[in-house]
Amino acid sequence: MRVGVIGVGHVGLVTGAALAELGHEVVAMDLDVAKIELLRSGKTPFYEPELDELIARQTATGRLLFRSEPAEAVGDAEVLFICVGRPTTAAGDASLTAVEAVGRDVAKHATPGLVIAEKSTVPPGTADRLRLTIARERPGLAFSVVANPEFLREGHAVQDTLRPDRIVVGSDDPGGFEAMRKLYGPLVGLGIPLIETDARTAELSKLASNAFLATKISFANALGRVAELTGADVVRITEVMGADMRIGPAFLRAGLGFGGYCLPKDTQTLERIAERAGYDFGLLRAVMLVNEDAVAAVAAKVEEAVWNLEGKRIALLGLAFKSGTDDVRSSPALILARRFADEGAVVVGHDPMAAAEARAAIPELEVADDPYEAITGAHCVVICTEWPEYRELDLDRVCELAAYPIVVDGRNVLDPDRAEIAGLTYLPVGRPARRGEDVVG
Ligand code: UGA
């Protein structure tokens, strides 16, 4: 099928490339001319495993084109994906200006029969609004709007798109379903379920999924606080809980909490949608508070361990909001960096992918090329992101290089026994601390 994609951020770029891989002819468009030029020169604007190869393969087949004029993506398309950003307003509501602008472009350039698919995460009722906008701008145009939320994770985006757990299509008209069944035919043929709902249900199901993942993480973090206060071990508790098929082990890792562009924003958006609709979703406010508290609790461990921060050197291992990405948006590591720098500490960070991005966000941050360089002379080492290489750290070397042998493990990646044998004062989250001879605090 002929597919247009508006917006080549994480979702749009991966969606476009994946649909080309499934055999469709894709024109991906963005108003950001520099980004389109970059893509046309064979470069990807962000890091995502397997994406460079996928884009190279599909541009070579001629099935994936990059353009900067809306007419070029909309004009010939049978299905048009809206993948534009959906930021939040200062009050925390979803900002849908970019989505409405696409509606106007569609009205201007669409061929009759076009199916418009919302991929951006949007509040319930957006498909109706979009339909109305297009009908007002171009009365008489035949078109359908479907909600087709995206569930890809950064760092796994290509696999999540080519082998999703489920595909969701929400629409209030049969023509929309028909086109989407055809489009996703190759995936449905592999046994991937395609769930059909009305548009509002599909829109809300995406926000619900992200808010529920956030709830699981905050539950684990709140439990971690109780475990610390009662001498239990949250890692083992969540292992026990996760072995129950009804609960499952995913998203129960206690630590510095959830960051990134989606979980914090979507949890807040769902809470605001509920409030505006007349329901007090206090549970989600608690989820957000526990998440803030998770970072504050790790900061308190550092402050307690080193005493005054002024002039102390703090090494942050991991700056991205999670491993496998160079994204530092709402990264807990950067919240810590800001706080420690404001308290007068010298903050040095390491990250295999996100050092430059972190530096741009926090100019005072020093960045090191390898973790041991960051650790050298540090009064406290804080593990902020679960990059596999930190799990393998040579802890004897950490002890030798650090000014004080203190490690605060914000992601519980180290083996406490190994840390103790190396002589570290080891302060994990939600599990018993191991205090070496250098007992501070
Ligand atoms: C999230 C969802 O997982 C995707 O399904 C969704 O499509 C995407 O948002 C989106 O809406 O675009 P992503 O933001 O890439 O994906 O990140 P996650 O893998 O969900 O991780 C979010 C945060 O939770 C990270 O900071 C991670 O470190 C943290 N986390 C995750 C925990 O603290 N504990 C856990 O057990 C799991």
Side-chain angles (χ1 to χ4, degrees):
M1 294 176 86
R2 291 186 308 280
V3 175
V5 176
I6 307 277
V8 295
H10 230 101
V11 170
L13 192 52
V14 176
T15 300
L19 288 172
E21 178 90 349
L22 296 183
H24 301 298
E25 288 167 37
V26 179
V27 179
M29 175 268 153
D30 202 295
L31 292 173
D32 184 339
V33 179
K35 210 189 242 183
I36 291 296
E37 286 308 321
L38 192 75
L39 284 161
R40 292 175 81 159
S41 72
K43 297 198 183 82
T44 314
F46 49 82
Y47 171 75
E48 185 62 51
E50 300 178 59
L51 186 59
D52 291 1
E53 300 86 321
L54 180 62
I55 292 174
R57 197 159 62 238
Q58 291 310 322
T59 42
T61 64
R63 284 202 297 268
L64 179 60
L65 304 176
F66 296 107
R67 297 286 182 264
S68 52
E69 287 297 325
E72 294 180 277
V74 180
D76 282 337
E78 296 167 85
V79 179
L80 181 77
F81 282 93
I82 302 184
C83 304
V84 294
R86 196 232 68 201
T88 42
T89 64
D93 293 303
S95 165
L96 295 161
T97 315
V99 175
E100 185 181 349
V102 176
R104 281 195 298 272
D105 281 335
V106 168
K108 223 179 280 168
H109 307 294
T111 303
L114 176 66
V115 174
I116 299 130
E118 300 168 347
K119 271 268 173 226
S120 306
T121 303
V122 289
T126 305
D128 294 340
R129 287 277 187 186
L130 206 50
R131 191 177 301 110
L132 188 61
T133 301
I134 298 167
R136 278 176 178 162
E137 299 277 330
R138 189 163 154 199
L141 176 73
F143 66 95
S144 307
V145 179
V146 304
N148 175 218
E150 180 50 63
F151 297 96
L152 63 80
R153 295 161 298 168
E154 287 185 26
H156 301 266
V158 171
Q159 278 312 312
D160 284 350
T161 309
L162 289 171
R163 295 287 180 276
D165 290 343
R166 77 299 209 189
I167 300 161
V168 180
V169 177
S171 184
D172 302 315
D173 98 66
F177 286 124
E178 215 174 288
M180 299 306 277
R181 277 181 218 135
K182 189 170 162 200
L183 186 85
Y184 286 117
L187 296 183
V188 175
L190 295 173
I192 292 162
L194 190 154
I195 304 173
E196 297 183 357
T197 70
D198 62 89
R200 285 171 185 245
T201 300
E203 289 166 334
L204 200 51
S205 67
K206 166 61 193 274
L207 288 164
S209 297
N210 273 1
F212 186 72
L213 292 171
T215 304
K216 278 189 95 174
I217 297 168
S218 277
F219 187 91
N221 280 326
L223 195 67
R225 299 300 292 276
V226 178
E228 271 185 30
L229 293 168
T230 55
D233 182 340
V234 75
V235 174
R236 304 310 307 275
I237 298 171
T238 50
E239 193 184 316
V240 172
M241 288 170 61
D244 185 327
M245 296 264 288
R246 294 168 304 172
I247 299 173
F251 280 71
L252 282 178
R253 289 195 317 278
L256 272 165
F258 56 85
Y261 187 57
C262 301
L263 261 47
K265 177 169 68 81
D266 291 352
T267 307
Q268 187 187 32
T269 300
L270 183 52
E271 193 270 338
R272 291 287 295 168
I273 288 168
E275 189 195 311
R276 282 177 176 273
Y279 176 70
D280 179 16
F281 211 150
L283 174 63
L284 295 185
R285 278 200 305 284
V287 165
M288 294 185 277
L289 284 176
V290 170
N291 200 47
E292 282 170 28
D293 185 55
V295 179
V298 167
K301 281 183 203 291
V302 174
E303 287 153 0
E304 189 193 281
V306 304
W307 198 17
N308 299 302
L309 274 167
E310 175 102 42
K312 299 269 170 45
R313 189 175 169 88
I314 309 294
L316 302 182
L317 299 189
L319 301 165
F321 82 93
K322 64 172 186 177
S323 62
T325 178
D326 58 3
D327 196 342
V328 296
R329 289 177 293 180
S330 297
S331 172
L334 295 202
I335 301 172
L336 288 178
R338 180 74 276 145
R339 177 169 171 153
F340 296 151
D342 287 347
E343 289 179 58
V346 176
V347 187
V348 50
H350 169 265
D351 192 286
M353 306 242 68
E357 287 75 4
R359 195 57 216 277
I362 312 256
E364 300 98 312
L365 184 71
E366 284 179 24
V367 294
D369 288 337
D370 83 280
Y372 299 103
E373 187 188 324
I375 288 163
T376 304
H379 297 91
C380 185
V381 177
V382 190
I383 301 178
C384 300
T385 311
E386 62 284 22
W387 287 103
E389 62 199 271
Y390 300 147
R391 212 174 283 279
E392 309 303 326
L393 279 175
D394 176 344
L395 299 183
D396 294 326
R397 206 167 153 210
V398 172
C399 250
E400 268 164 43
L401 294 175
Y404 297 169
I406 304 169
V407 174
V408 174
D409 189 351
R411 296 290 180 186
N412 290 337
V413 297
L414 295 184
D415 173 6
D417 292 337
R418 267 207 324 127
E420 185 171 359
I421 291 164
L424 288 170
T425 285
Y426 177 66
L427 307 170
V429 174
R431 49 191 339 198
R434 306 290 178 97
R435 295 191 186 271
E437 285 180 12
D438 167 85
V439 180
V440 193

